[in-house]
Amino acid sequence: MDFEFDWIILYNLVISLVAIIVLQVVGMLIFFIKTPFNDMDELKKGNVAVGLALAGKFIATGIILGISAYTNTSIWHMALWFVVGQVCLVIVYWVFELLTPKFKIADQLQKGNVAVGLLLCAVFIGTAISISSLII
């Protein structure tokens, strides 16, 4: 059996991995910009609520990127679905904020309200699963 290493496959794999990592980081930066407090400072303080919200955002972005990478052969199409997914996640955050008029989500996260952090985590993940069904 003759085995010849295919450099094109390796090149495509590396480019795809770099694109996924960059887009994942961009997704997290969007969330950092969106919150009125410093997420990293809150994590250093041990704020579980912020950690849960960030985890949900990270998982949601990963779900969207994973499905878009799996179903698209073009990095540009994957990036396009990433943008669609991020816009949907931001809209869902705003809708979640509208549905909780008695308190501001960011304030509750900063105060360490784990219930709000967990619910936001689930909202992000559920939204990502729903968005993924559009990509397929």
Side-chain angles (χ1 to χ4, degrees), residues 3-41:
F3 177 74
E4 186 177 318
F5 189 76
D6 191 348
W7 289 101
I8 299 294
I9 291 174
L10 179 62
Y11 172 78
N12 287 335
L13 180 64
V14 169
I15 294 297
S16 296
L17 286 173
V18 168
I20 287 171
I21 291 168
V22 167
L23 291 173
Q24 186 76 355
V25 169
V26 168
M28 296 312 292
L29 290 175
I30 290 169
F31 191 72
F32 290 162
I33 291 168
K34 198 169 64 172
T35 55
F37 52 83
N38 186 315
D39 297 272
M40 289 300 140
D41 285 347

Side-chain angles (χ1 to χ4, degrees), residues 15-16 18-24 26-27 30 61 64-88 131 135:
I15 294 297
S16 296
V18 168
I20 287 171
I21 291 168
V22 167
L23 291 173
Q24 186 76 355
V26 168
I30 290 169
T61 301
I64 293 166
L65 282 171
I67 295 295
S68 63
Y70 180 73
T71 58
N72 293 288
T73 57
S74 164
I75 289 177
W76 297 114
H77 286 123
M78 181 180 70
L80 175 66
W81 278 110
F82 164 79
V83 170
V84 169
Q86 290 301 305
V87 168
C88 289
I131 293 167
I135 297 171

Side-chain angles (χ1 to χ4, degrees), residues 52-53 55-64 67 85 88-90 92-93 96 117-135:
L52 286 167
K57 178 70 170 176
F58 193 81
I59 293 168
T61 301
I63 290 169
I64 293 166
I67 295 295
C88 289
L89 290 174
V90 169
V92 164
Y93 180 85
F96 186 53
L118 184 59
L119 183 58
L120 186 57
C121 178
V123 165
F124 283 146
I125 293 170
T127 300
I129 293 168
S130 299
I131 293 167
S132 294
S133 70
L134 298 174
I135 297 171

